[in-house]
Amino acid sequence: MRILFITSTRIGDAVLSTGLLDHLIRAYPQAKVVVACGPVAEGVFARMPNRAWTIVLEKQRFRLHWLGLWRQVAGSRWDLVVDLRGSGFAWMVRAKRRVVMRGGRNPGHRLAQLGALLGLDPPPLPVAWFGPAERTRAAMLLPGEGPWIGLGPTANWDRKVWPPERFIALFEALSAPFGPLPGARAAILGGPGAQERAMAAPVLAALGDRAVDLVGTLSLPEAAAVLARCAIFIGNDSGLMHLSAATGTPTLGLFGPSRPEEYAPAGRRTAIAVAPGSPAVDSMPGLTLAAALDAAERLLTAPVAA
């Protein structure tokens, strides 16, 4: 069986689509799956079982990237084509069955939208794929028996970033002698590039040797393995937030101008803290330390969802 799975250019949307992929892999264990995605999201699928190969869609003028994809897949007859980008591409190749997500803004959480494509209710939760090599590296980066708190103080848009001094204060409260994770150390994660490093710099400077700097240094499978070792991850709305939730690590997403009703983290142990006045562009500073700390403490003591 041959499955062509066309998914997102963004890490967060790509991670959310892994639940649907995992369902297909389990339903058709002999299938060979070809994934088409944007270059930033490629690592999400690097350790995926049953993956024949990945086609990276580099955006081109006049949408010529779709022509490049067609040239690579048109010679095959597909048993199933899943197009999550609503492009209509599925109708340009030979296929027994086509599943195409409707374009534009759809109501409800993205995960429910994905599950509805195959009539899955509840929708399958995202998964994070990584292997022994990533697990070994994560153990070297985050050594010891004590707890680690993952922090994601960056985002792809500065209006989505919670003030760094509040990340610092939240870590101090959680790791204090009488806090829920006494003596914890911090793993600071972020994407590559100068902008992400600048966003993380104040947190790294304040925490000093109590923090490990992992900003821009990890592949996505390595980041997943690191997140899986954390007692909790707290971060702005970002791809890292979704990746953390997919590992099963307790994940607290911090929301301001983005839409938690569509993009809250999806996993067995997740929570959100939403700034008053959301989704106003300048709402993020309104999210208080007290609100985030309360959400984090509740998450750490909440039962694991089935």
Side-chain angles (χ1 to χ4, degrees), residues 51-97:
R51 181 179 61 90
W53 74 90
T54 299
I55 299 173
V56 178
L57 294 179
E58 296 271 6
K59 190 172 183 179
Q60 299 178 35
R61 294 179 64 189
F62 310 116
R63 300 190 176 186
L64 290 177
H65 49 284
W66 291 112
L67 178 60
L69 175 61
W70 183 84
R71 286 172 173 164
Q72 294 187 65
V73 303
S76 300
R77 180 174 177 83
W78 301 91
D79 294 280
L80 174 62
V81 176
V82 179
D83 180 3
L84 303 185
R85 295 174 65 168
S87 64
F89 182 88
W91 305 100
M92 299 172 63
V93 296
R94 294 178 297 165
K96 293 181 181 178
R97 183 186 177 197

Coordinates of all heavy atoms in Angstrom, one line a residue, residues 51-97:
R51 N 8.2 5.2 7.1 CA 8.4 6.3 6.1 C 9.3 5.9 5.0 O 10.4 5.4 5.2 CB 9.0 7.5 6.9 CG 9.3 8.7 6.0 CD 9.9 9.8 6.8 NE 11.2 9.5 7.4 CZ 12.4 9.6 6.8 NH1 12.4 10.2 5.6 NH2 13.5 9.3 7.4
A52 N 8.8 5.9 3.8 CA 9.6 5.6 2.6 C 10.6 6.7 2.3 O 11.8 6.4 2.2 CB 8.7 5.3 1.4
W53 N 10.1 7.9 2.3 CA 11.0 9.1 2.2 C 10.2 10.3 2.4 O 9.0 10.3 2.5 CB 11.7 9.1 0.8 CG 10.9 9.5 -0.4 CD1 10.7 10.8 -0.9 CD2 10.2 8.7 -1.3 NE1 10.0 10.8 -2.0 CE2 9.6 9.5 -2.3 CE3 10.0 7.3 -1.4 CZ2 8.9 8.9 -3.3 CZ3 9.3 6.7 -2.4 CH2 8.7 7.6 -3.4
T54 N 10.9 11.4 2.6 CA 10.3 12.7 2.8 C 10.6 13.6 1.6 O 11.7 13.7 1.1 CB 10.8 13.4 4.1 OG1 10.5 12.6 5.2 CG2 10.1 14.8 4.3
I55 N 9.6 14.3 1.1 CA 9.7 15.3 0.0 C 9.6 16.6 0.7 O 8.6 17.0 1.3 CB 8.7 15.1 -1.1 CG1 8.8 13.7 -1.7 CG2 8.8 16.2 -2.1 CD1 7.7 13.4 -2.7
V56 N 10.7 17.4 0.6 CA 10.7 18.8 1.2 C 10.2 19.8 0.1 O 10.8 19.9 -0.9 CB 12.1 19.1 1.7 CG1 12.1 20.5 2.3 CG2 12.6 18.1 2.7
L57 N 9.2 20.5 0.5 CA 8.6 21.5 -0.4 C 9.2 22.9 -0.1 O 8.8 23.5 0.9 CB 7.1 21.5 -0.3 CG 6.3 20.3 -0.7 CD1 4.8 20.5 -0.4 CD2 6.6 20.0 -2.1
E58 N 10.2 23.2 -0.9 CA 10.8 24.6 -0.8 C 9.9 25.5 -1.6 O 9.7 25.4 -2.8 CB 12.2 24.6 -1.3 CG 13.2 23.7 -0.6 CD 13.9 24.5 0.6 OE1 13.5 25.7 0.8 OE2 14.8 23.9 1.2
K59 N 9.3 26.5 -0.9 CA 8.4 27.5 -1.5 C 9.1 28.2 -2.7 O 10.2 28.7 -2.6 CB 7.8 28.5 -0.5 CG 6.7 29.3 -1.1 CD 6.0 30.2 0.0 CE 4.9 30.9 -0.6 NZ 4.2 31.8 0.5
Q60 N 8.4 28.2 -3.8 CA 8.9 28.9 -5.0 C 7.9 29.8 -5.6 O 6.7 29.7 -5.3 CB 9.3 27.8 -6.1 CG 10.3 26.8 -5.7 CD 10.6 25.8 -6.7 OE1 10.6 26.1 -7.9 NE2 10.9 24.6 -6.3
R61 N 8.3 30.8 -6.4 CA 7.4 31.7 -7.0 C 6.5 31.0 -8.0 O 6.8 29.9 -8.5 CB 8.2 32.7 -7.8 CG 9.1 33.7 -7.0 CD 9.9 34.6 -7.9 NE 9.0 35.5 -8.6 CZ 9.4 36.3 -9.6 NH1 10.7 36.3 -10.0 NH2 8.5 37.1 -10.2
F62 N 5.3 31.6 -8.1 CA 4.2 31.0 -9.0 C 3.8 29.6 -8.6 O 3.3 28.9 -9.4 CB 4.7 31.1 -10.4 CG 5.2 32.4 -10.9 CD1 6.6 32.5 -11.3 CD2 4.5 33.5 -10.9 CE1 7.1 33.7 -11.7 CE2 5.0 34.7 -11.3 CZ 6.3 34.8 -11.7
R63 N 4.1 29.2 -7.3 CA 3.7 27.9 -6.8 C 4.3 26.8 -7.5 O 3.8 25.7 -7.7 CB 2.2 27.8 -6.7 CG 1.5 28.8 -5.9 CD 0.0 28.5 -5.7 NE -0.6 29.4 -4.8 CZ -1.9 29.3 -4.3 NH1 -2.6 28.3 -4.7 NH2 -2.3 30.2 -3.5
L64 N 5.5 27.0 -8.0 CA 6.2 26.0 -8.8 C 6.7 24.8 -7.9 O 7.0 23.7 -8.4 CB 7.4 26.6 -9.5 CG 7.1 27.5 -10.7 CD1 8.4 28.1 -11.2 CD2 6.3 26.8 -11.7
H65 N 6.6 25.0 -6.6 CA 6.9 23.8 -5.7 C 5.9 22.7 -5.9 O 6.3 21.5 -5.7 CB 7.0 24.3 -4.2 CG 5.9 25.1 -3.8 ND1 5.7 26.4 -4.1 CD2 4.8 24.8 -3.0 CE1 4.6 26.9 -3.5 NE2 4.0 25.9 -2.9
W66 N 4.7 23.1 -6.2 CA 3.7 22.0 -6.5 C 4.0 21.2 -7.7 O 3.8 20.0 -7.8 CB 2.3 22.6 -6.6 CG 1.8 23.1 -5.3 CD1 1.6 24.5 -5.0 CD2 1.5 22.4 -4.1 NE1 1.1 24.6 -3.7 CE2 1.1 23.3 -3.1 CE3 1.5 21.0 -3.8 CZ2 0.7 22.9 -1.8 CZ3 1.1 20.7 -2.5 CH2 0.7 21.6 -1.5
L67 N 4.6 21.9 -8.7 CA 5.0 21.2 -9.9 C 6.1 20.2 -9.6 O 6.2 19.1 -10.1 CB 5.4 22.2 -11.0 CG 6.0 21.6 -12.3 CD1 4.9 20.8 -13.0 CD2 6.4 22.8 -13.3
G68 N 7.1 20.7 -8.8 CA 8.2 19.8 -8.4 C 7.7 18.6 -7.6 O 8.2 17.5 -7.9
L69 N 6.7 18.8 -6.8 CA 6.1 17.6 -6.1 C 5.4 16.7 -7.1 O 5.6 15.5 -7.0 CB 5.1 18.1 -5.0 CG 4.3 17.0 -4.3 CD1 5.2 16.1 -3.5 CD2 3.3 17.6 -3.3
W70 N 4.7 17.2 -8.0 CA 3.9 16.4 -9.0 C 4.9 15.6 -9.8 O 4.7 14.4 -10.0 CB 3.1 17.3 -9.9 CG 2.3 16.6 -10.9 CD1 1.1 16.0 -10.7 CD2 2.7 16.3 -12.3 NE1 0.7 15.4 -11.9 CE2 1.7 15.5 -12.8 CE3 3.8 16.5 -13.0 CZ2 1.7 15.0 -14.2 CZ3 3.9 16.1 -14.3 CH2 2.8 15.3 -14.9
R71 N 6.1 16.1 -10.2 CA 7.0 15.4 -10.9 C 7.6 14.2 -10.2 O 7.9 13.2 -10.7 CB 8.2 16.3 -11.3 CG 7.8 17.3 -12.4 CD 9.0 18.3 -12.7 NE 8.7 19.1 -13.8 CZ 9.3 20.2 -14.1 NH1 10.3 20.7 -13.2 NH2 9.0 20.9 -15.2
Q72 N 7.6 14.3 -8.8 CA 8.2 13.2 -8.0 C 7.1 12.1 -7.7 O 7.5 11.0 -7.4 CB 8.7 13.8 -6.7 CG 9.9 14.7 -6.9 CD 10.5 15.1 -5.5 OE1 11.0 14.2 -4.8 NE2 10.4 16.3 -5.2
V73 N 5.8 12.4 -7.8 CA 4.8 11.4 -7.3 C 3.9 11.0 -8.4 O 3.1 10.1 -8.2 CB 4.1 12.0 -6.1 CG1 5.0 12.3 -5.0 CG2 3.2 13.2 -6.5
A74 N 3.8 11.8 -9.5 CA 2.8 11.5 -10.5 C 3.0 10.1 -11.2 O 2.0 9.6 -11.7 CB 2.8 12.6 -11.6
G75 N 4.2 9.6 -11.2 CA 4.4 8.3 -11.8 C 3.9 7.1 -11.0 O 3.9 6.0 -11.6
S76 N 3.4 7.3 -9.8 CA 2.9 6.2 -9.0 C 1.4 6.3 -8.9 O 0.8 7.4 -9.0 CB 3.6 6.3 -7.6 OG 5.0 6.2 -7.6
R77 N 0.8 5.1 -8.6 CA -0.6 5.1 -8.3 C -0.7 4.9 -6.8 O -0.2 4.0 -6.2 CB -1.3 4.0 -9.0 CG -2.8 3.9 -8.7 CD -3.5 2.8 -9.5 NE -4.9 2.7 -9.1 CZ -5.9 3.5 -9.6 NH1 -5.6 4.5 -10.5 NH2 -7.1 3.4 -9.2
W78 N -1.4 5.9 -6.1 CA -1.5 5.9 -4.7 C -2.8 5.3 -4.2 O -3.8 5.5 -4.8 CB -1.4 7.4 -4.2 CG -0.1 8.0 -4.6 CD1 0.1 8.7 -5.8 CD2 1.2 7.9 -4.0 NE1 1.4 9.1 -5.9 CE2 2.1 8.6 -4.8 CE3 1.6 7.3 -2.8 CZ2 3.4 8.7 -4.4 CZ3 2.9 7.5 -2.4 CH2 3.8 8.2 -3.2
D79 N -2.6 4.5 -3.1 CA -3.8 3.9 -2.5 C -4.6 5.0 -1.7 O -5.8 5.0 -1.7 CB -3.5 2.8 -1.6 CG -2.9 1.6 -2.3 OD1 -3.7 0.8 -2.9 OD2 -1.7 1.5 -2.4
L80 N -3.8 6.0 -1.1 CA -4.5 7.0 -0.3 C -3.6 8.3 -0.4 O -2.4 8.2 -0.3 CB -4.6 6.6 1.1 CG -5.1 7.7 2.1 CD1 -6.5 8.2 1.8 CD2 -5.0 7.2 3.6
V81 N -4.2 9.4 -0.7 CA -3.5 10.7 -0.7 C -4.2 11.6 0.3 O -5.5 11.8 0.3 CB -3.6 11.4 -2.1 CG1 -2.9 12.8 -2.0 CG2 -2.8 10.6 -3.1
V82 N -3.5 12.0 1.3 CA -4.0 12.9 2.3 C -3.4 14.3 2.1 O -2.2 14.4 2.2 CB -3.7 12.4 3.8 CG1 -4.3 13.4 4.8 CG2 -4.3 11.0 4.0
D83 N -4.2 15.3 1.9 CA -3.7 16.7 1.7 C -4.2 17.6 2.7 O -5.4 18.0 2.7 CB -4.1 17.1 0.3 CG -3.6 18.6 0.0 OD1 -2.9 19.1 0.8 OD2 -4.0 19.1 -1.1
L84 N -3.4 17.9 3.7 CA -3.8 18.8 4.8 C -3.6 20.3 4.5 O -4.0 21.1 5.3 CB -3.0 18.4 6.1 CG -3.0 17.0 6.5 CD1 -2.3 16.8 7.8 CD2 -4.5 16.5 6.7
R85 N -3.2 20.6 3.3 CA -3.0 22.0 2.9 C -4.1 22.5 2.0 O -4.1 23.7 1.6 CB -1.6 22.2 2.3 CG -0.5 21.9 3.3 CD 0.9 21.9 2.6 NE 1.3 23.2 2.1 CZ 2.5 23.5 1.8 NH1 3.5 22.6 1.9 NH2 2.8 24.7 1.3
G86 N -5.1 21.6 1.8 CA -6.3 22.1 1.0 C -5.9 22.7 -0.4 O -6.6 23.6 -0.9
S87 N -4.9 22.1 -1.0 CA -4.3 22.6 -2.2 C -5.0 22.1 -3.5 O -4.9 22.7 -4.5 CB -2.8 22.3 -2.3 OG -2.7 20.9 -2.5
G88 N -5.8 21.0 -3.4 CA -6.3 20.4 -4.6 C -5.3 19.5 -5.3 O -5.7 18.9 -6.3
F89 N -4.1 19.4 -4.8 CA -3.1 18.6 -5.4 C -3.5 17.1 -5.5 O -3.1 16.5 -6.5 CB -1.8 18.7 -4.6 CG -0.6 18.0 -5.2 CD1 0.2 18.5 -6.2 CD2 -0.4 16.7 -4.8 CE1 1.2 17.8 -6.8 CE2 0.7 15.9 -5.4 CZ 1.5 16.5 -6.4
A90 N -4.3 16.7 -4.5 CA -4.7 15.3 -4.5 C -5.4 14.9 -5.8 O -5.4 13.7 -6.2 CB -5.6 15.0 -3.3
W91 N -6.0 15.8 -6.5 CA -6.8 15.5 -7.7 C -5.9 15.5 -8.9 O -6.4 15.2 -10.0 CB -7.9 16.5 -7.8 CG -8.8 16.5 -6.6 CD1 -8.8 17.4 -5.6 CD2 -9.8 15.6 -6.2 NE1 -9.7 17.1 -4.6 CE2 -10.3 16.0 -5.0 CE3 -10.3 14.4 -6.8 CZ2 -11.3 15.3 -4.3 CZ3 -11.3 13.7 -6.2 CH2 -11.8 14.1 -4.9
M92 N -4.6 15.8 -8.7 CA -3.7 15.8 -9.9 C -2.9 14.6 -10.0 O -2.1 14.4 -10.9 CB -2.8 17.0 -9.7 CG -3.5 18.4 -9.7 SD -2.3 19.7 -9.3 CE -1.2 19.7 -10.6
V93 N -3.1 13.6 -9.1 CA -2.3 12.3 -9.2 C -3.3 11.2 -9.1 O -4.5 11.3 -8.7 CB -1.3 12.2 -8.0 CG1 -0.3 13.3 -8.1 CG2 -2.1 12.3 -6.6
R94 N -2.9 10.0 -9.6 CA -3.8 8.8 -9.6 C -3.9 8.3 -8.2 O -2.8 8.0 -7.6 CB -3.2 7.8 -10.5 CG -3.2 8.2 -12.0 CD -2.6 7.1 -12.9 NE -1.2 6.9 -12.5 CZ -0.4 5.9 -12.9 NH1 -1.0 4.9 -13.6 NH2 0.8 5.8 -12.6
A95 N -5.1 8.1 -7.7 CA -5.3 7.7 -6.3 C -6.6 6.9 -6.2 O -7.6 7.3 -6.8 CB -5.2 8.8 -5.3
K96 N -6.6 5.9 -5.4 CA -7.8 5.1 -5.1 C -8.7 6.0 -4.2 O -10.0 5.9 -4.3 CB -7.5 3.8 -4.5 CG -6.8 2.8 -5.4 CD -6.6 1.5 -4.7 CE -5.9 0.5 -5.6 NZ -5.6 -0.8 -4.8
R97 N -8.1 6.7 -3.3 CA -8.9 7.4 -2.3 C -8.1 8.7 -2.0 O -6.9 8.8 -1.9 CB -9.0 6.6 -1.0 CG -9.9 7.3 0.1 CD -9.9 6.5 1.3 NE -10.7 7.2 2.4 CZ -10.6 6.9 3.7 NH1 -9.8 5.9 4.1 NH2 -11.3 7.5 4.6

